[in-house]
């Protein structure tokens, strides 16, 4: 990790971490005597960089731009070609032994204002770019039924904005004269 202060104007924080995952799941159907074992596995080693630049144009304001990469791996249930029941969704699933991990690149840009030590206002935009994301899909079963399963999609993204704030009641009373004095 690197943490560099550029005087009182800006700070750069950057780093990289390495994650290694070695998954293997061997599945068989207990109800069948001579059943073939199905193996699901992947061995993944990724360098996951991150960096953030924070600029301080005035004492009470920060402007931040950040990037980070992470990974999300399928669970053992999602990797096994066995049926399982999810009581939360009341749905039956079957796993997929051909799933791979998802890489996620996240971008964030935000401005923060701190009018006092106990108050803040923030606004930001973000983007998460997914490579090989897991998605739920359905597979036809005999008799016209369907069962939920999983597959890797090519890509996906999530975009959004967020705003937030925290103020003292005294300031709110001043701004909004109709707020009762008991607050």
């Amino acid at each position: 990790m690197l943490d560099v202060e550029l005087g009182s104007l800006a700070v750069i924080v950057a780093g990289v971490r390495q994650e290694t995952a070695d998954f293997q799941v061997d599945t068989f159907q207990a109800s069948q005597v001579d059943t073939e074992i199905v193996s699901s596995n992947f061995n993944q080693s990724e360098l996951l960089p991150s960096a953030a630049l924070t600029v301080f144009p005035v004492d009470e304001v920060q402007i931040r731009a950040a990037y980070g990469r992470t990974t999300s791996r399928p669970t053992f249930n999602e990797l096994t070609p066995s049926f399982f029941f999810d009581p939360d969704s009341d749905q039956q699933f079957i796993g997929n032994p051909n799933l791979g991990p998802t890489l996620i690149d996240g971008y964030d840009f935000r401005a923060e204002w701190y009018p006092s030590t106990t108050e803040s206002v923030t606004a930001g935009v973000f983007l998460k770019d997914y490579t090989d994301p897991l998605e739920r899909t359905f597979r036809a079963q005999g008799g016209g039924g369907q069962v939920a399963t999983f597959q890797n999609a090519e890509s996906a993204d999530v975009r959004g904005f967020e705003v937030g704030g925290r103020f003292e009641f005294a300031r709110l009373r001043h701004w909004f004269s109709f707020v009762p004095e008991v607050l």
Side-chain angles (χ1 to χ4, degrees):
M1 186 172 121
L2 175 69
D3 189 340
V4 177
E5 290 185 25
L6 305 172
S8 62
L9 180 64
V11 173
I12 297 173
V13 178
V16 64
R17 73 179 194 277
Q18 180 174 351
E19 280 193 17
T20 301
D22 188 2
F23 280 46
Q24 179 165 340
V25 179
D26 296 325
T27 307
F28 64 94
Q29 297 296 334
S31 62
Q32 299 175 2
V33 177
D34 293 327
T35 186
E36 183 179 321
I37 293 178
V38 176
S39 292
S40 307
N41 60 51
F42 61 83
N43 185 322
Q44 173 198 31
S45 185
E46 291 288 338
L47 290 177
L48 303 171
S50 65
L53 170 66
T54 305
V55 177
F56 309 98
V58 294
D59 285 344
E60 302 86 20
V61 175
Q62 297 180 23
I63 300 171
R64 183 181 335 245
Y67 164 79
R69 173 175 272 186
T70 190
T71 186
S72 175
R73 298 178 188 89
T75 65
F76 290 123
N77 281 350
E78 293 168 339
L79 282 170
T80 60
S82 294
F83 288 95
F84 65 94
F85 181 77
D86 179 6
D88 292 332
S89 66
D90 199 30
Q91 196 167 24
Q92 187 173 14
F93 289 85
I94 186 167
N96 178 351
N98 300 313
L99 295 176
T102 301
L103 280 179
I104 306 164
D105 291 303
Y107 306 88
D108 184 69
F109 181 79
R110 69 180 50 250
E112 303 168 347
W113 173 47
Y114 299 93
S116 74
T117 59
T118 59
E119 298 175 303
S120 64
V121 177
T122 63
V125 295
F126 63 86
L127 167 69
K128 290 187 183 284
D129 184 30
Y130 295 79
T131 303
D132 298 325
L134 293 183
E135 67 178 355
R136 186 182 303 179
T137 185
F138 294 92
R139 190 166 89 182
Q141 291 293 101
Q146 291 184 343
V147 65
T149 188
F150 307 93
Q151 69 182 21
N152 285 101
E154 186 176 318
S155 64
D157 63 53
V158 175
R159 301 167 193 213
F161 67 94
E162 56 190 356
V163 294
R166 184 175 64 190
F167 293 100
E168 296 289 331
F169 282 124
R171 187 182 302 268
L172 290 176
R173 261 197 320 266
H174 177 71
W175 286 350
F176 303 103
S177 59
F178 61 87
V179 175
E181 194 64 37
V182 294
L183 295 178

